């Protein structure tokens, strides 16, 4: 995808659901412990890509350090996020059940850390600007529009309300 030669913003309407989820390699030598965690995340992302009805709109894979890897995910709704997390037919359910079994069996030894943070961001509490960028992050999840549609300044984009402008 090529970069748009302009300034744009995300075309999000209403609340935005963001999930940060990741892992930290505590002991590099314990590849047999952290590699399955990393591969499980890739498998879940592939599963979600194959089934857009589950609600994952977009994701960005990032690294915070040589030890810490995470995914920023944008979801259709908190209900769809929660539904996927608890769906018995989803790989997440099997992966989490395995983690719980290992933990109860005393087989988790601190070689890999896992974490997530979820945010429901109300309309009027987010804004975005992209200069000469293809759709990325929030814009990849919700679409991209010329900056002027939402306002030239951040204060204008924060003040935007989709119900008043649709």
């Amino acid at each position: 995808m090529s970069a748009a030669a302009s300034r744009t913003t995300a075309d999000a309407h209403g609340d935005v659901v963001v999930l940060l989820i990741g892992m930290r390699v505590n002991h590099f030598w314990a590849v047999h412990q952290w590699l399955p965690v990393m591969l499980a995340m890739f498998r879940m992302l592939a599963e979600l890509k194959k089934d857009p009805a589950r609600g994952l709109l977009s994701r960005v894979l990032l690294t915070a350090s040589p030890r810490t890897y995470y995914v920023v995910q944008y979801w259709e709704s908190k209900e769809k996020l929660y539904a996927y997390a608890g769906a018995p037919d989803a790989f997440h359910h099997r992966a989490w059940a395995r983690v719980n079994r290992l933990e109860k069996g005393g087989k988790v030894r601190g070689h890999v850390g896992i974490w997530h943070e979820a945010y429901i961001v109300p309309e009027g509490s987010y804004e975005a600007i992209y200069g000469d960028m293809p759709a990325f992050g929030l814009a990849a999840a919700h679409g991209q529009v010329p900056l002027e549609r939402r306002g030239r300044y951040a204060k204008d984009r924060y003040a935007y309300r989709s119900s008043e402008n649709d």
Side-chain angles (χ1 to χ4, degrees), residues 2-163:
S2 65
S6 62
R7 293 202 178 195
T8 59
T9 190
D11 194 21
H13 298 266
D15 294 348
V16 169
V17 179
V18 181
L19 175 70
L20 308 177
I21 187 164
M23 62 174 277
R24 181 182 188 277
V25 176
N26 293 330
H27 301 113
F28 283 112
W29 52 265
V31 176
H32 65 288
Q33 295 285 336
W34 58 261
L35 186 60
V37 174
M38 183 177 281
L39 295 176
M41 177 54 74
F42 292 138
R43 184 169 171 185
M44 284 180 251
L45 291 172
E47 176 180 69
L48 287 161
K49 185 175 184 177
K50 284 182 192 171
D51 190 358
R54 289 208 189 255
L56 181 65
L57 298 174
S58 184
R59 87 297 186 269
V60 179
L61 301 167
L62 298 168
T63 182
S65 73
R67 291 183 178 277
T68 307
Y69 304 89
Y70 66 105
V71 184
V72 178
Q73 298 179 355
Y74 300 91
W75 284 79
E76 241 177 83
S77 68
K78 66 180 178 185
E79 292 78 17
K80 288 200 173 189
L81 171 60
Y82 298 153
Y84 176 73
D89 66 322
F91 182 68
H92 177 270
H93 190 267
R94 288 193 308 255
W96 197 242
R98 183 172 186 270
V99 167
N100 286 333
R101 278 193 310 277
L102 289 171
E103 200 170 69
K104 284 179 187 173
K107 301 201 181 198
V108 174
R109 296 185 180 96
H111 298 300
V112 60
I114 55 175
W115 61 274
H116 85 256
E117 299 173 359
Y119 303 95
I120 314 305
V121 187
E123 187 171 52
S125 296
Y126 58 85
E127 72 90 26
I129 186 169
Y130 309 94
D132 299 330
M133 286 283 295
F136 181 84
L138 192 60
H142 292 277
Q144 192 172 25
V145 295
L147 190 66
E148 295 75 30
R149 276 227 206 131
R150 297 285 176 96
R152 180 165 167 73
Y153 302 101
K155 67 180 176 76
D156 300 324
R157 293 187 298 277
Y158 276 118
Y160 179 88
R161 296 295 180 272
S162 56
S163 59

